[in-house]
Amino acid sequence: MANAEAPKTSSLGLPVMSIPKENPQTPEKIALGRKLFFDKRLSANGEISCASCHQQERAFADHVPLAKGIRGGIGTRNSPSLLNAAFSESQFWDGRRQSLEAQGADPFVNPREHGLSNYDELLNRIRADNEYPRRFKQVFKLKGNDIGLTQVTQSLASFIRSLAVGNSSFDQFYYAGKKDVLPEAARRGFELFRGRAQCVACHTISEHGASFTDNQFHSLGVGLEQISKNLAALTTRVAATPASELDRLITTEPDIAALGRFVVTHNPNDIGRFKTPSLRNVALTAPYMHDGSVATLEEAVDQEVYYRGLEAGRPLILTPSEKADVIAFLNALTSAQ
């Protein structure tokens, strides 16, 4: 990235992290972002914060199929873990935002998330607080009335970048050379993962660090059946909708959300494609897929294997014991902390 600081590493096994020059990390900014992240007062009814769907004790996910926001409103997609979100090259399941800063403000005015009427309402709540003006002045050298959306999203992005965790037993094995820390079943699963099971094609590993995602968009057929009979009308509607209104459609209408990357690109080949999620800490973040429709890791492996076979044009068959080995490997991607 031309506008990024020198890349940094955060934890064993992670790739380098690029940090925008215009938003350097500081302890004070991270702390301010954390306060914003956990503050329920920044919602229409004072009951929802970013942490409502990204719960620290649940690996910054929420363990329910679809996000639940203000007044119990149900969203259209599963809440992904924010651990290591800084290594993703785009944000949201469809990649419609290109950075953590660009996506940070969206949930506040989503009618099914924080439910604020507009960004002025968000900023007025922050400016009127007893503590926020002092904290923003400390971090950004701004007076209370000068606090803007840019500073809010930069603070949130800095906090999310601090959620970089590696140092799993796999990392100890692969990057630190500690051969005894990885159980035999996980070792067999690793060989399948990067060999016959073909998982590494999308969940990438390099000698310098592994994000376990290619940052591309793929389809496993999830959710396509629900929209197949109405596909022409849905795609025509998206194509006719101004970009400024697409967020509302995606976050309130399940059938639109099921179109995936197509909503961003309008390319028919992108219908039903979603961003490859990282597999780090995947054992902690069930349910799976963009719509939370896959309840267990075992089911997710079955789904993946089936569609790998379709892509290859021939069945990809793993025995029950081989699937168990792959799952043992996926469990070995859980961070020590």
Side-chain angles (χ1 to χ4, degrees):
M1 296 173 61
N3 65 335
E5 290 183 346
K8 302 176 181 179
T9 54
S10 303
S11 187
L12 179 66
L14 296 183
V16 294
M17 181 188 298
S18 294
I19 301 173
K21 281 187 176 180
E22 63 272 15
N23 191 24
Q25 295 284 89
T26 69
E28 295 79 11
K29 192 188 297 178
I30 292 169
L32 174 56
R34 180 181 177 84
K35 178 176 172 60
L36 291 163
F37 187 89
F38 284 92
D39 195 343
K40 293 183 177 181
R41 298 173 301 166
L42 305 181
S43 65
N45 63 358
E47 296 179 358
I48 296 295
S49 71
C50 303
S52 298
C53 291
H54 302 287
Q55 300 166 22
Q56 182 170 344
E57 67 275 15
R58 294 178 172 174
F60 287 90
D62 59 10
H63 289 195
V64 296
L66 299 174
K68 181 181 292 187
I70 190 169
R71 303 181 188 91
I74 303 298
T76 58
R77 289 180 179 161
N78 179 258
S79 301
S81 170
L82 293 183
L83 296 179
N84 298 319
F87 299 103
S88 183
E89 295 176 3
S90 61
Q91 303 299 321
F92 297 121
W93 279 101
D94 53 24
R96 67 184 184 275
R97 296 288 182 268
Q98 294 304 302
S99 69
L100 291 173
E101 286 81 2
Q103 66 85 36
D106 290 359
F108 291 109
V109 294
N110 184 329
R112 295 194 184 183
E113 293 187 59
H114 292 239
L116 296 176
S117 56
N118 52 52
Y119 292 126
D120 285 340
E121 184 178 0
L122 169 67
L123 294 174
N124 288 338
R125 291 184 182 215
I126 291 172
R127 292 166 182 163
D129 182 71
N130 291 329
E131 186 178 354
Y132 276 126
R134 177 184 64 80
R135 300 280 289 270
F136 274 90
K137 183 177 181 180
Q138 177 189 30
V139 173
F140 295 103
K141 316 304 180 192
L142 293 173
K143 296 180 180 180
N145 288 337
D146 294 328
I147 298 170
L149 196 60
T150 296
Q151 291 76 41
V152 172
T153 57
Q154 286 183 342
S155 301
L156 285 167
S158 290
F159 171 63
I160 294 171
R161 287 194 178 97
S162 76
L163 307 179
V165 291
N167 197 29
S168 65
S169 57
F170 164 76
D171 296 312
Q172 291 288 333
F173 167 80
Y174 192 70
Y175 293 108
K178 298 180 180 179
K179 302 305 180 184
D180 295 335
V181 301
L182 199 65
E184 189 61 35
R187 293 192 198 189
R188 293 193 302 266
F190 178 40
E191 292 307 314
L192 286 163
F193 184 92
R194 63 179 177 175
R196 184 157 55 85
Q198 305 172 31
C199 308
V200 77
C202 297
H203 300 285
T204 54
I205 301 170
S206 82
E207 60 182 290
H208 304 296
S211 60
F212 287 95
T213 173
D214 61 358
N215 283 298
Q216 299 301 309
F217 300 85
H218 303 277
S219 174
L220 295 182
V222 177
L224 287 180
E225 185 176 353
Q226 76 183 48
I227 62 173
S228 59
K229 294 181 180 180
N230 200 29
L231 196 55
L234 290 170
T235 54
T236 299
R237 184 180 176 195
V238 167
T241 300
S244 60
E245 297 179 21
L246 279 177
D247 268 14
R248 182 187 60 80
L249 289 182
I250 295 167
T251 57
T252 59
E253 299 196 26
D255 285 355
I256 297 293
L259 291 171
R261 183 68 171 165
F262 172 83
V263 179
V264 180
T265 66
H266 293 185
N267 183 341
N269 291 328
D270 286 334
I271 293 172
R273 289 186 177 181
F274 293 88
K275 187 174 65 176
T276 305
S278 173
L279 295 181
R280 286 191 174 274
N281 299 292
V282 67
L284 306 179
T285 58
Y288 304 104
M289 308 300 166
H290 68 276
D291 59 357
S293 60
V294 176
T296 68
L297 202 50
E298 289 78 5
E299 292 175 45
V301 169
D302 284 340
Q303 186 91 13
E304 184 81 16
V305 167
Y306 174 73
Y307 272 90
R308 290 286 178 196
L310 286 184
E311 287 182 342
R314 54 181 174 78
L316 173 59
I317 298 174
L318 298 182
T319 67
S321 62
E322 287 174 330
K323 290 180 184 178
D325 289 343
V326 171
I327 291 167
F329 169 69
L330 295 176
N331 275 281
L333 301 181
T334 301
S335 299
Q337 181 177 357

